[in-house]
Amino acid sequence: MKFPSNFLWGGALAANQCEGAWDVDGRGLSVQDVQAFKPNVDQKNLKAHTSVTLEGLKQAALETDTTYYPKRHGIDFYHHYEEDLDLFQEMGFKILRVSIAWTRLYPTGHETEANANGVEFYHRLFSAMKARGIEPMVTLHHYEMPLALAFEGNGWVSRNVIDMFLRFCETCFREYGQYVKYWMGFNEIDSCGRHPFTSAGIIPELSTEGMDQACYQALHHQFVASALATKMLHEMVPGAMMGCMLTKLTCYPYTCEPMDALATQKRNLENLSYTDVLVFGEYPKMILRDLEKRNIKIAMEPGDLEVIKQYTCDYVSFSYYMSMTESVSPDAPRTPGNTVLGVKNPYLKSSEWGWQTDPVGLRYSLIEMYDRYKKPIFVVENGLGARDKVEEDGSIHDEYRIEYFRRHFEEMAKAIDDGVEMLGYTSWGPIDIISASGNQMSKRYGFIYVDQDDLGNGTLQRSRKDSFYWYKKVIETNGEEL
Ligand code: BG6
């Protein structure tokens, strides 16, 4: 196993899934604060998780209880971050990916001055990381925007949001540029079509021209915003790098029947088209043709395409959890993945949530991405969501998680040996946090256990799982001992 000597090992979090403190120090309501945990909903039912109604959102916004809105309390990282960083330091983390909550700095998005308490919190957080020798990596938009902007203008469908977002970016670069080298614009920018509300604040009833039209319009604004944020970062923070972030949904043909291969190709090209825009600075011609055929018309302003072309990203990052297959047969058995339905692969095992574990798919994805983009790669999310059992003596034997990571690291090392240039790796949720899709606590990814159940009961006490000691060793030996 050979990883580069400066390989950045670490973990990744998102503000809305860990911070909590939703109504503290002047923070505004975000789209995540109205995402409910639904105990009786089948966790594999994707529709139940992504459906939103205007009335439901308005009701939820008035609700003050946090029991069924777990992202409001998270794991209270806002008040526990020192203790959590101590544990990350103990594991030897070189880097920690976090996101900055837009609503902590600009509660409704409209303010012209940033909220001083919010600004101060991230100063404390980044200084605390630096003091522990942990490099901060920052996502500017991780499934989170002011709720006010969703109600007013249907989120990113409205062009005005670009300027408000850039005001937020400017504050982030000015305040935190001194600590942060690696930045990222939009988490999983491809996800707008899969969960439009959390990705882009889009509400079906406000999307009078249809959801597809709304999503592509919002995406266009996100592409322009990404390019302008990259320009701003380069001007304000010399040496800083802006990455793009894709949900890598690697798909294989279910059979070698040519129609299955064609359907798979379509799916993969669609998945890659988002990073194509951000890396090559152009909409792929076939995607534009597809939109034309579907009668989707993106409203663009003069200069948009030039801006997208000129300010492309510096490195490529992606999340990778699972793979899937595609088939044209209506009878092919389907299984959920990362907010997506694919056809079951008979060669792979699934997690309890149906996500198909595929370490070789990581090697495949790394090769594919590096070959296509020829830019250094950062795997910024990867991991296994599982239920953990706490033994009577408090220990947690998560051998299944160790096995998942071990096999993925082996494949990552092989990809590096194949010639892929990698900057680093951050596992998803190195400490248990609230799940993005299910709004639940029991789907755990961490090396560190947090004592809290789905309804927010628990002491919030942190404890080390077996995987904690294992990952510590991996980092210590730079991946030599897996
Ligand atoms: C990624 C998201 O797609 O998947 C994270 O960027 C999310 O926010 C992660 O938590 C795992 O998904 P889930 O639904 O199991 O939390």
Side-chain angles (χ1 to χ4, degrees):
M1 295 297 149
K2 279 277 171 276
F3 289 88
S5 58
N6 56 354
F7 193 76
L8 293 165
W9 294 97
L13 298 168
N16 73 84
Q17 294 172 255
C18 69
E19 280 180 10
W22 67 298
D23 56 355
V24 169
D25 291 339
R27 180 185 176 279
L29 270 188
S30 97
V31 291
Q32 291 290 354
D33 297 323
V34 290
Q35 291 297 291
F37 167 59
K38 300 168 190 147
N40 299 323
V41 158
D42 170 9
Q43 297 301 326
K44 290 188 186 169
N45 182 347
L46 293 175
K47 275 232 161 60
H49 290 304
T50 48
S51 61
V52 288
T53 64
L54 190 53
E55 190 45 37
L57 295 173
K58 286 195 168 155
Q59 286 298 328
L62 295 174
E63 186 63 67
T64 52
D65 186 47
T66 64
T67 312
Y68 292 98
Y69 298 98
K71 286 172 182 156
R72 295 181 178 189
H73 56 71
I75 54 160
D76 200 20
F77 182 73
Y78 192 77
H79 296 109
H80 288 252
Y81 70 90
E82 295 264 3
E83 169 190 354
D84 296 341
L85 293 179
D86 283 345
L87 289 164
F88 297 146
Q89 182 185 25
E90 191 182 324
M91 269 191 282
F93 275 28
K94 314 258 182 257
I95 195 161
L96 179 68
R97 175 183 170 222
V98 293
S99 66
I100 297 180
W102 187 349
T103 50
R104 255 188 224 295
L105 271 51
Y106 292 92
T108 68
H110 283 286
E111 296 78 6
T112 46
E113 291 293 318
N115 167 30
N117 287 331
V119 172
E120 182 49 33
F121 169 67
Y122 292 104
H123 273 294
R124 280 187 273 124
L125 178 63
F126 297 138
S127 306
M129 283 190 208
K130 284 285 188 188
R132 290 165 178 79
I134 300 173
E135 169 114 39
M137 177 182 224
V138 168
T139 319
L140 290 157
H141 192 286
H142 194 128
Y143 292 167
E144 189 166 17
M145 71 185 300
L147 182 62
L149 299 181
F151 285 148
E152 281 164 31
N154 209 13
W156 277 93
V157 178
S158 163
R159 175 114 196 163
N160 299 338
V161 175
I162 299 179
D163 287 341
M164 291 187 243
F165 179 68
L166 289 173
R167 195 180 316 136
F168 162 69
C169 290
E170 190 182 351
T171 304
C172 293
F173 300 155
R174 190 181 53 246
E175 297 287 338
Y176 315 126
Q178 55 182 307
Y179 316 101
V180 185
K181 175 176 177 186
Y182 296 103
W183 297 81
M184 234 170 277
F186 293 81
N187 181 62
E188 300 187 333
I189 191 155
D190 53 292
S191 60
C192 190
R194 299 197 303 277
H195 42 99
F197 180 67
T198 46
S199 284
I202 300 175
I203 301 171
E205 285 108 311
L206 302 183
S207 306
T208 44
E209 294 176 63
M211 284 302 274
D212 286 350
Q213 173 66 39
C215 286
Y216 277 99
Q217 189 60 57
L219 256 169
H220 177 69
H221 293 151
Q222 294 191 344
F223 286 141
V224 174
S226 295
L228 290 172
T230 304
K231 173 178 189 279
M232 191 189 278
L233 177 69
H234 289 162
E235 286 166 2
M236 291 181 68
V237 192
M241 293 169 82
M242 182 66 86
C244 56
M245 166 29 167
L246 181 78
T247 326
K248 186 68 184 81
L249 296 170
T250 296
C251 189
Y252 312 125
Y254 185 55
T255 69
C256 51
E257 205 266 290
M259 288 308 285
D260 277 359
L262 200 66
T264 305
Q265 184 184 49
K266 184 165 192 268
R267 209 161 175 158
N268 283 328
L269 287 179
E270 195 267 341
N271 183 231
L272 293 167
S273 66
Y274 306 90
T275 21
D276 285 355
V277 177
L278 295 170
V279 181
F280 301 138
E282 282 174 11
Y283 278 97
K285 288 205 172 74
M286 280 189 293
I287 291 291
L288 291 177
R289 174 71 189 126
D290 182 52
L291 296 182
E292 193 179 79
K293 285 198 258 182
R294 291 158 64 194
N295 206 23
I296 294 169
K297 296 189 177 71
I298 302 176
M300 298 189 193
E301 287 200 353
D304 279 4
L305 292 178
E306 289 72 12
V307 161
I308 290 175
K309 181 74 194 171
Q310 204 172 344
Y311 306 107
T312 54
C313 64
D314 303 310
Y315 67 96
V316 170
S317 68
F318 62 85
S319 63
Y320 176 85
Y321 292 89
M322 32 65 64
S323 69
M324 56 194 179
T325 73
E326 188 50 288
S327 164
V328 287
S329 158
D331 305 326
R334 299 212 162 237
T335 183
N338 192 354
T339 61
V340 69
L341 265 187
V343 175
K344 260 191 159 165
N345 184 334
Y347 296 97
L348 302 178
K349 289 207 182 93
S350 300
S351 78
E352 194 183 323
W353 281 264
W355 300 22
Q356 303 183 114
T357 299
D358 178 16
V360 175
L362 176 58
R363 181 179 180 190
Y364 181 101
S365 304
L366 283 164
I367 294 170
E368 185 187 20
M369 295 293 272
Y370 188 63
D371 181 59
R372 190 177 186 92
Y373 299 124
K374 301 178 175 51
K375 292 216 184 241
I377 304 225
F378 220 118
V379 172
V380 291
E381 288 187 29
N382 171 241
L384 176 71
R387 289 180 206 277
D388 292 324
K389 180 166 174 272
V390 185
E391 304 296 336
E392 263 174 29
D393 64 357
S395 57
I396 296 142
H397 305 304
D398 55 343
E399 186 50 44
Y400 37 90
R401 188 168 289 111
I402 295 175
E403 185 58 16
Y404 178 98
F405 283 120
R406 178 184 291 128
R407 294 177 54 215
H408 282 79
F409 293 173
E410 281 166 3
E411 296 303 322
M412 208 156 71
K414 288 180 199 162
I416 292 172
D417 185 52
D418 292 332
V420 173
E421 185 191 349
M422 276 194 78
L423 294 170
Y425 170 93
T426 54
S427 76
W428 179 247
I431 180 167
D432 296 342
I433 52 177
I434 310 293
S435 144
S437 54
N439 298 300
Q440 62 189 137
M441 190 68 206
S442 43
K443 189 179 187 189
R444 297 170 181 273
Y445 285 86
F447 305 114
I448 301 163
Y449 186 87
V450 177
D451 177 32
Q452 178 173 246
D453 69 12
D454 286 335
L455 299 178
N457 306 305
T459 60
L460 288 181
Q461 200 189 324
R462 280 58 170 156
S463 50
R464 298 162 184 81
K465 304 181 191 176
D466 286 357
S467 57
F468 178 99
Y469 303 101
W470 178 83
Y471 194 42
K472 181 177 188 308
K473 192 83 187 164
V474 171
I475 300 178
E476 220 168 72
T477 61
N478 196 26
E480 289 289 333
E481 254 184 63
L482 293 178

